[in-house]
Amino acid sequence: MRLGRASVVRIVRAATVLAAVLLCAAAGALAVAWQRLEPLQLARAEALSVTVLDRNDRLLRAYTTPDGRWRLPVAVREVDARYLAMLLAFEDRRFRSHRGVDAIALGRAAWQLLRHRRIVSGGSTLTMQVARLLQGEHERSGPGKLRQALRALMLERRCSKDAILALYLRLAPFGGNLEGVRAAALAYFGK
């Protein structure tokens, strides 16, 4: 069966209208999801272990946070530049250029999921990981990832890239009740 020019034009118009309606519905759903998200819980990152220092600012003793975590204060400038370079290369190589969500990484992860029918790699950015860590949420579902992405966008609007990196260095899990690169370095290497 051969379609005439008028039939093809009607089909293209109907498909265009349908695509526009679906796009508007998706935008509306995102707007509703954005409005329903609770505010970022930055206070969790502020709960640090109490530390006792000597007169030369060397650590004598540290205590856990009220929730039983070892979370020591750390500044980005105190962390070895090579560690930071490796962290960004491994976790989020476009950290400095995206606005919280890396569409290229998400597209790659989605393509690999479709192709291999299992999760091969993730598409989370450092900002998305910080948003997840701040909320205490470890959900790997579609809605969970959408919440992480929306919170990452919120976080990027509120904090600088260096502040987000500092939050990651403070909150990243290192096994058991160790959180942050400084607590891990002290526990594993005594430094």
Side-chain angles (χ1 to χ4, degrees):
M1 181 170 128
R2 187 172 153 101
L3 296 175
R5 179 170 161 66
S7 296
V8 171
V9 168
R10 276 184 287 196
I11 291 170
V12 168
R13 282 185 185 156
T16 303
V17 168
L18 179 62
V21 167
L22 290 175
L23 188 61
C24 288
L30 280 175
V32 168
W34 180 274
Q35 293 298 321
R36 289 187 178 183
L37 278 178
E38 62 271 5
L40 291 167
Q41 304 294 325
L42 290 175
R44 182 174 186 278
E46 300 304 319
L48 298 173
S49 296
V50 173
T51 57
V52 179
L53 307 174
D54 70 7
R55 70 180 96 183
N56 297 318
D57 288 333
R58 286 186 303 225
L59 183 67
L60 294 175
R61 176 93 163 95
Y63 297 91
T64 60
T65 61
D67 62 351
R69 305 279 180 192
W70 294 100
R71 190 180 308 126
L72 300 173
V74 63
V76 175
R77 64 179 167 13
E78 297 172 336
V79 179
D80 189 323
R82 292 171 293 186
Y83 176 82
L84 293 175
M86 288 187 287
L87 173 70
L88 294 177
F90 185 76
E91 290 288 341
D92 188 358
R93 70 184 65 177
R94 286 180 287 278
F95 174 69
R96 298 279 179 197
S97 62
H98 63 66
R99 293 203 167 119
V101 177
D102 186 353
I104 295 169
L106 287 177
R108 183 202 69 240
W111 169 249
Q112 289 174 341
L113 176 64
L114 289 172
R115 187 168 173 221
H116 299 284
R117 300 198 194 288
R118 63 182 175 83
I119 296 174
V120 175
S121 68
S124 292
T125 63
L126 278 179
T127 310
M128 289 173 69
Q129 291 178 45
V130 169
R132 176 181 55 81
L133 291 168
L134 284 170
Q135 296 305 122
E137 176 180 284
H138 299 285
E139 191 176 343
R140 291 183 66 164
S141 66
K145 286 292 181 188
L146 178 61
R147 280 192 300 278
Q148 285 176 27
L150 291 174
R151 285 189 184 113
L153 295 172
M154 291 172 144
L155 192 57
E156 287 273 342
R157 289 181 68 195
R158 191 169 174 181
C159 300
S160 68
K161 289 289 189 180
D162 284 336
I164 293 168
L165 187 56
L167 286 169
Y168 183 83
L169 292 172
R170 188 180 310 155
L171 295 172
F174 280 92
N177 63 347
L178 294 174
E179 287 187 0
V181 66
R182 186 168 177 213
L186 185 63
Y188 294 127
F189 305 117
K191 296 183 178 213

